[in-house]
Amino acid sequence: MRLFDTRTQEVVPFVPAQTVRLYVCGITPYDAAHLGHAFVYASFDALIRYLECIGHTVHYVRNVTDLDDDTLRTAAKRDTHFQVLARGEAAQFDANLARLGLRPPAVEPFVTDNVDAMIPFIQGLIDRGVAYSLPDHRVYFNIDHPNYLAFSQLSKDEALEQFREKGGDPDAPDKKNTLDFLLWQPSENGQPSWPAPWGAGRPGWHIGCSVMIHEHIGATMDIHGGGSDLVFPHHESEILQAESLTGQHPLARVWMHCGMVALEGVKMSKSLGNLVFLGDLLNEYSADAIRAMLLNNHYRANWTYTTEVMDAAQARVHRWQRVVGDRTGGPITQAEIDGFNDPDLTEALAQLGDQLEDDLNTPGALAVLDELADTQRAKALFMCGRVLGFFQTLR
C-alpha cells in the first residue's frame, strides 16, 4: 500500500503491521454533524474496512473535544451545562454515523475525561524547558524550537495569519513569542476548572489530542488523520508537544489529511452557516447513496456538494442494487474471501485492492463496482461492495 504523507509531502510505502494504530481527530460537539465530518470519517472507514479485509486489526481511536471556547460559548447562550450540550451532540453524531453504516472507533475518549492526565504531561513539558508558566496561570509551549513549522511548511507570516484565524492569541501579554500556543489557561467565572500546580484552570485546544493519543495508543502510531484544516496549528502543535515530552518520533508514521467540502463553491463552516447536515441527507437518501457520493471524491480532494451530485450517486447505487438483488451483509473478511473458489471474484477483488492500495483511490474503487455492474457480475459486485461498506441494508 502507498499513502500520501502530509509530513513528507510524498506518496510513501505503508507496510501495515498485524495491528494498525489509527487516530483520527473527532468533532467539537456544539452543533450537528455536517457533510465535511461525514467525508473525513467515511474516507477512514474505507481504509479501516480494507485493512481488515486483508487480515489486519485496526485499533481506531477518535476523540471528542467537548471542552473548548465554542462549546462553552454555545452552552452559555443556550443556558445549559456545557457537558449536557456536548454529550447530547456527540451522541447524535455517533447515531448519524451509525445510520451511515460507519464503524465506531474502538475508543472514543472525551477531553473532559482526560484532563487529569494532561496536568503531568504539561508539567513534563515545563520540566523539559519547552513550556513556561505565567503568574496569571497561563502555560504556553515555547515555539522557539528547531522543528517548528517543519510539518506545515508555512512561513512565519502565513502561520501568524492562520493562528489568529483559528483562535490563537498572538497579542496576549507576556508571551515569549507571538505564536506560542496555550497549554493551560485560567477559567472565567462559571467555566469548568481543574486544580494544577501552576494555578487552577482548563487545558488549551492542542494538548488534548497529544495526551489522548499517549493514553490510548502510545508514544507513536501508524496513521494520524483528520481534515486538512487541522494541519496548522493543531497537528503542528500535537507533534511538538508529544515528541518533546517522550523523545520518540515520529508521532505518526503517516499523516493523512482529508480535503474540504464546499457548498456552491464556498467551504462549509459553522461560522458561515452554509452547512449540509448529515442527518438531513439521511432522511432523504439511502446510506449507500451518501457513502457513494462521499467516496467518489478522493480523500485528499477539495470538492463541492450539489444536489445533482447526490442524485447521481443515488441512481448509481440503485443500479448496483438491481444487479445484486436482495442481499445484505456485514464487513467482509479475508477468510470469507478465501472460502470462495471463484477466479472471477478473485480478479475483481484484486482490481479493487489495486485502487485502494494506490493512496486510497476510492473513486477508482467505485469505478470497479460500476464495471462489475455493467457486466452483470452480481456476486463479485456484492463482495467488492461489502469491502467498502455497501449493501449493509436494503432500501
Side-chain angles (χ1 to χ4, degrees), residues 285-306:
Y285 296 95
S286 71
D288 276 1
I290 298 170
R291 184 186 291 265
M293 184 271 297
L294 295 169
L295 296 185
N296 198 44
N297 300 280
H298 189 266
Y299 77 92
R300 287 196 282 124
N302 298 323
W303 55 279
T304 295
Y305 171 81
T306 66

Side-chain angles (χ1 to χ4, degrees), residues 64-386:
V64 178
T65 303
D66 61 332
L67 178 65
D68 86 318
D69 292 341
D70 288 326
T71 302
L72 296 174
R73 210 165 20 241
T74 302
K77 189 180 300 183
R78 297 183 187 178
D79 194 25
T80 188
H81 192 276
F82 82 98
Q83 283 190 309
V84 172
L85 169 68
R87 300 282 168 153
E89 292 291 352
Q92 186 60 48
F93 166 78
D94 286 343
N96 280 330
L97 292 194
R99 289 175 65 193
L100 186 55
L102 303 190
R103 292 290 196 81
V107 185
E108 189 176 45
F110 283 64
V111 165
T112 50
D113 292 333
N114 287 270
V115 175
D116 288 345
M118 296 177 199
I119 293 169
F121 197 107
I122 294 171
Q123 186 62 55
L125 293 173
I126 294 172
D127 293 344
R128 282 159 176 73
V130 295
Y132 58 94
S133 61
L134 295 176
D136 64 358
H137 306 173
R138 284 177 293 154
V139 180
Y140 284 98
F141 190 96
N142 186 350
I143 59 89
D144 188 13
H145 187 284
N147 292 330
Y148 186 61
L149 300 183
F151 180 62
S152 62
Q153 300 183 26
L154 297 174
S155 69
K156 285 288 182 70
D157 288 344
E158 291 169 332
L160 181 60
E161 181 180 358
Q162 289 198 30
F163 187 69
R164 195 184 300 275
E165 288 174 354
K166 296 177 180 179
D169 60 349
D171 303 319
D174 302 321
K175 294 172 64 173
K176 293 183 178 180
N177 302 284
T178 56
L179 288 170
D180 289 351
F181 55 87
L182 275 167
L183 301 174
W184 193 262
Q185 59 193 311
S187 299
E188 299 177 7
N189 289 337
Q191 292 183 342
S193 180
W194 287 261
W198 45 86
R202 59 190 176 92
W205 173 24
H206 314 301
I207 193 67
C209 280
S210 292
V211 170
M212 288 183 284
I213 289 166
H214 197 263
E215 289 292 303
H216 299 286
I217 292 182
T220 63
M221 76 195 85
D222 296 293
I223 300 173
H224 192 319
S228 60
D229 56 338
L230 297 177
V231 171
F232 184 88
H234 188 53
H235 290 162
E236 184 97 50
S237 302
E238 275 186 37
I239 292 169
L240 291 180
Q241 293 165 156
E243 295 182 0
S244 294
L245 182 73
T246 68
Q248 296 186 51
H249 59 85
L251 175 61
R253 289 171 56 201
V254 174
W255 287 82
M256 294 178 66
H257 286 95
C258 296
M260 296 291 101
V261 183
L263 178 65
E264 297 178 355
V266 179
K267 175 185 170 291
M268 289 186 190
S269 72
K270 292 176 181 177
S271 60
L272 294 176
N274 64 336
L275 301 177
V276 175
F277 291 106
L278 177 58
D280 293 338
L281 278 185
L282 285 163
N283 291 335
E284 187 174 354
Y285 296 95
S286 71
D288 276 1
I290 298 170
R291 184 186 291 265
M293 184 271 297
L294 295 169
L295 296 185
N296 198 44
N297 300 280
H298 189 266
Y299 77 92
R300 287 196 282 124
N302 298 323
W303 55 279
T304 295
Y305 171 81
T306 66
T307 54
E308 291 78 12
V309 166
M310 189 66 250
D311 289 339
Q314 182 83 293
R316 186 183 206 177
V317 165
H318 282 164
R319 186 163 62 90
W320 297 346
Q321 192 70 62
R322 285 193 297 272
V323 174
V324 166
D326 294 336
R327 306 187 196 189
T328 60
I332 193 169
T333 65
Q334 183 64 48
E336 186 176 4
I337 292 169
D338 291 342
F340 282 85
N341 184 18
D342 185 333
D344 181 62
L345 175 59
T346 301
E347 179 188 359
L349 287 166
Q351 291 173 346
L352 188 76
D354 287 345
Q355 298 299 325
L356 296 175
E357 296 205 6
D358 181 17
D359 194 23
L360 197 64
N361 181 11
T362 54
L366 297 193
V368 171
L369 302 189
D370 286 336
E371 196 274 332
L372 295 173
D374 290 343
T375 53
Q376 298 290 302
R377 292 146 72 188
K379 183 167 67 174
L381 173 58
F382 178 63
M383 298 292 276
C384 289
R386 285 175 60 199

